[in-house]
Amino acid sequence: MVAKNTDEMKALAVKLFQINAFKFGDYKMKVGINSPVYFDLRVIVSYPDVMQTVSDLLVAHIKDLQLSSKHVCGVPYTALPLATIVSVQQHTPMLVRRKEAKAYGTKKLIEGIYQAGDTCLIVEDVVTSGSSILDTVRDLQSEGIVVTDAVVVVDREQGGAANIAKHGVRMHSLFTLSFLLNTLHEAGHIEKATVDAVAKYIAAVQINSDGSFIGGDKSVAEANDFSRTKLTYESRANLAKSPVAKRLFNLMATKQTNLCLAADLSEADAILDMADKCGPYICLLKTHVDIVSDFSESFIVNLQALATRHNFLLMEDRKFADIGNTVSLQYGQGLYKIANWADLVTAHTLPGRSIVQGLKAALGGANSAKERGVFLLAEMSASGNLIDEKYKENSNKIATEGGDVDFVAGVVCQSADCFAFPGLIQLTPGVKIDEGVDKLGQQYQTPEHVVKERGADIGVVGRGILQASNVEKTAASYRDRLWAAYQERVAK
Ligand code: 5BU
């Protein structure tokens, strides 16, 4: 690694973390092995400033190392734009490797003008085993091109450098995984325990270029400590990108509750009474304001006072589902002015990313994305609902990729496989002591089942509490059972 530009490197490391170019969790890698840390540098194309910094640093790195070559070639696809910028900045002609030979015309694998004996520098984003670099090297070599060096943005330190060295190619990385971890720890983004656990994983899981283990301990990868359901709410608070999610995780941890009350009552006073009684036991109170027949501004003022007194957040379960412009109006305007008081709202992902952008557009002034957040629906508890695997997968993408990750606080879903990123909160409705289905298709699971089997971080209970003869006692009992289930889940 280059010693100079350290401050710039550190700032870039934090920025990459902030835009989710790398994240902690439980991820399956291309080589089929699970990893507690995952890099996705594809996202940087959406951040021209990051793109500029990364490519400037790569160019400086190449200069420092005095690597001169006739061509540069990016490993497809993520490194292609980086290689393009390096080529233009250095005035070094580029070569483009096709992943599949064209079915028509020249059938060439390497595009560009070259001669046998020319030298070429490889540019790559992230190296695990080095197999992607070797694929590119092989195709270049079959055209008689000489490859001796590769510059890469991140070396995961899992054996890639040694694997490619065996084929006569030296690897030079801007960042090592250890540098990134230490920088994030110094900057207060991750705990020391995270640094240590990832280091333990890296030491144990060294990989051959064919993806097989070099002789490390496979069980360390399989028993990933970073699976979100095994992490505590405190440590997940540090990983959250949304400030409201951070706040809620910390609130849950200090107040020791993961219970959300669904206050589905149609009179304002009845909701306030319920909020006062259940307040000490909940982290979140969920409303459907459009069922309140006597809605008024004073109702909101009183509800907010109770939220402050008992320390819980407010979520309006509005389930927005329209085009961005309409959603923006529905969130900020009208009778309810939801954006003014609800810390969190829910939204369907059916319209795509524009739903998140529409909601964000309604914010400004006092109600910035710092104080507000959205939970995206990836599954529903209603029997016969139309959500399928693809929809779930795409909802997860909206929640974890792109420029709005700071606004997405969590996902409403029914199963642990809905998302892997531990900085998001799983909210699961359909919770009752007695399992079963109500007359209108609502499906209920027990508190223990949703937390331990279904991955719920917060269990939502409505009628299970609202219809109890002793509301306080019942709320306390749901809190105790949900919290005990969480403690069992994270116990090592
Ligand atoms: P219940 O009384 O515990 O059944 O209330 C559940 C609440 O959660 C209710 O406000 C629903 O609108 C909400 N809910 C749900 O039940 N299922 C879902 O999939 C989603 C929300 Br999303």
Side-chain angles (χ1 to χ4, degrees):
M1 191 177 324
V2 226
K4 64 179 198 176
N5 287 336
T6 306
D7 287 345
E8 200 180 359
M9 301 273 293
K10 286 185 177 175
L12 176 61
V14 171
K15 182 78 190 174
L16 289 173
F17 175 69
Q18 282 166 340
I19 63 171
N20 268 358
F22 73 105
K23 45 199 170 194
F24 300 94
D26 187 13
Y27 301 98
K28 200 161 215 90
M29 294 189 296
K30 204 165 94 187
V31 288
I33 295 165
N34 279 30
S35 166
V37 58
Y38 188 77
F39 289 87
D40 180 4
L41 264 63
R42 283 172 310 166
V43 301
I44 68 173
V45 295
S46 304
Y47 301 88
D49 54 331
V50 177
M51 200 73 177
Q52 176 99 54
T53 314
V54 174
S55 42
D56 284 351
L57 286 168
L58 278 176
V59 168
H61 199 35
I62 294 166
K63 211 168 148 201
D64 285 347
L65 294 163
Q66 297 180 328
L67 300 175
S68 64
S69 61
K70 198 130 191 217
H71 306 274
V72 289
C73 177
V75 176
Y77 292 98
T78 312
L80 287 186
L82 286 172
T84 310
I85 302 174
V86 169
S87 155
V88 171
Q89 286 197 8
Q90 296 193 139
H91 306 288
T92 307
M94 186 157 112
L95 297 174
V96 178
R97 171 187 169 242
R98 288 184 172 279
K99 268 193 147 174
E100 300 85 21
K102 282 197 296 185
Y104 55 92
T106 57
K107 298 214 168 140
K108 274 170 90 174
L109 276 173
I110 305 293
E111 303 284 354
I113 301 169
Y114 57 88
Q115 289 178 336
D118 280 1
T119 53
C120 182
L121 174 70
I122 304 280
V123 178
E124 172 63 313
D125 61 335
V126 182
V127 173
T128 305
S129 68
S131 63
S132 302
I133 288 185
L134 290 176
D135 289 344
T136 296
V137 169
R138 224 164 274 139
D139 284 349
L140 289 167
Q141 284 174 341
S142 70
E143 296 293 314
I145 297 164
V146 180
V147 183
T148 53
D149 295 272
V151 286
V152 311
V153 182
V154 179
D155 173 10
R156 289 182 52 113
E157 300 171 296
Q158 287 186 275
N163 291 339
I164 70 165
K166 281 186 205 140
H167 297 261
V169 180
R170 284 180 295 263
M171 189 177 95
H172 315 277
S173 62
L174 271 186
F175 294 110
T176 57
L177 181 55
S178 320
F179 176 86
L180 291 171
L181 290 171
N182 290 326
T183 304
L184 285 185
H185 176 51
E186 267 175 37
H189 290 285
I190 58 173
E191 296 163 342
K192 178 78 171 61
T194 309
V195 180
D196 294 344
V198 178
K200 183 177 131 201
Y201 162 85
I202 294 300
V205 185
Q206 293 287 308
I207 303 166
N208 277 314
S209 56
D210 63 359
S212 61
F213 277 83
I214 285 175
D217 180 357
K218 199 169 185 174
S219 66
V220 175
E222 280 157 1
N224 185 350
D225 291 340
F226 283 85
S227 149
R228 72 173 165 92
T229 52
K230 290 192 203 153
L231 290 172
T232 61
Y233 296 144
E234 291 94 319
S235 49
R236 289 171 62 185
N238 289 326
L239 300 173
K241 297 288 151 65
S242 141
V244 191
K246 229 179 244 291
R247 222 174 112 201
L248 186 50
F249 269 135
N250 284 325
L251 190 162
M252 290 157 72
T254 49
K255 196 174 168 184
Q256 303 204 333
T257 170
N258 48 352
L259 168 63
C260 166
L261 173 72
D264 296 340
L265 298 165
S266 53
E267 282 172 18
D269 281 348
I271 296 175
L272 295 173
D273 180 51
M274 205 46 86
D276 202 16
K277 285 184 175 142
C278 300
Y281 312 107
I282 60 175
C283 59
L284 190 64
L285 183 134
K286 194 172 80 56
T287 52
H288 284 292
V289 275
D290 52 355
I291 63 173
V292 183
S293 45
D294 54 349
F295 178 87
S296 66
E297 275 182 32
S298 69
F299 162 61
I300 293 299
V301 172
N302 289 329
L303 190 60
Q304 284 182 306
L306 287 169
T308 308
R309 183 180 330 146
H310 294 299
N311 190 25
F312 58 79
L313 300 191
L314 295 174
M315 169 185 270
E316 165 57 19
D317 191 4
R318 175 63 181 74
K319 298 190 183 67
F320 293 101
D322 216 313
I323 58 163
N325 183 59
T326 304
V327 154
S328 174
L329 294 168
Q330 289 171 323
Y331 185 30
Q333 308 297 319
L335 208 53
Y336 306 121
K337 299 194 174 30
I338 297 165
N340 283 355
W341 56 269
D343 302 295
L344 293 156
V345 290
T346 54
H348 284 288
T349 50
L350 188 68
R353 284 184 189 281
S354 56
I355 192 108
V356 183
Q357 285 147 7
L359 289 170
K360 267 182 112 172
L363 299 173
N367 307 318
S368 69
K370 280 198 173 62
E371 282 94 20
R372 299 286 178 254
V374 64
F375 272 69
L376 297 175
L377 262 78
E379 278 180 323
M380 290 194 74
S381 62
S383 62
N385 70 79
L386 302 181
I387 292 172
D388 60 13
E389 285 302 310
K390 196 85 201 147
Y391 187 94
K392 233 166 88 172
E393 209 177 288
N394 286 329
S395 302
N396 181 21
K397 278 200 184 138
I398 297 177
T400 53
E401 295 170 13
D404 303 306
V405 288
D406 60 334
F407 187 61
V408 182
V411 175
V412 186
C413 63
Q414 297 288 321
S415 51
D417 70 353
C418 252
F419 65 94
F421 178 50
L424 290 172
I425 303 174
Q426 176 178 333
L427 185 85
T428 302
V431 180
K432 223 173 184 188
I433 306 278
D434 302 314
E435 284 176 328
V437 185
D438 78 1
K439 286 192 202 109
L440 299 173
Q442 169 72 309
Q443 305 177 107
Y444 289 115
Q445 317 283 340
T446 63
E448 290 74 20
H449 185 79
V450 293
V451 173
K452 293 204 286 194
E453 311 298 327
R454 302 285 189 107
D457 296 314
I458 298 180
V460 179
V461 183
R463 285 164 286 174
I465 292 174
L466 303 178
Q467 295 174 352
S469 51
N470 186 331
V471 165
E472 281 108 323
K473 224 170 122 200
T474 309
S477 147
Y478 271 102
R479 191 282 307 264
D480 292 349
R481 288 181 60 166
L482 285 165
W483 188 256
Y486 155 71
Q487 284 186 308
E488 273 178 48
R489 188 175 86 181
V490 295
K492 293 270 150 52

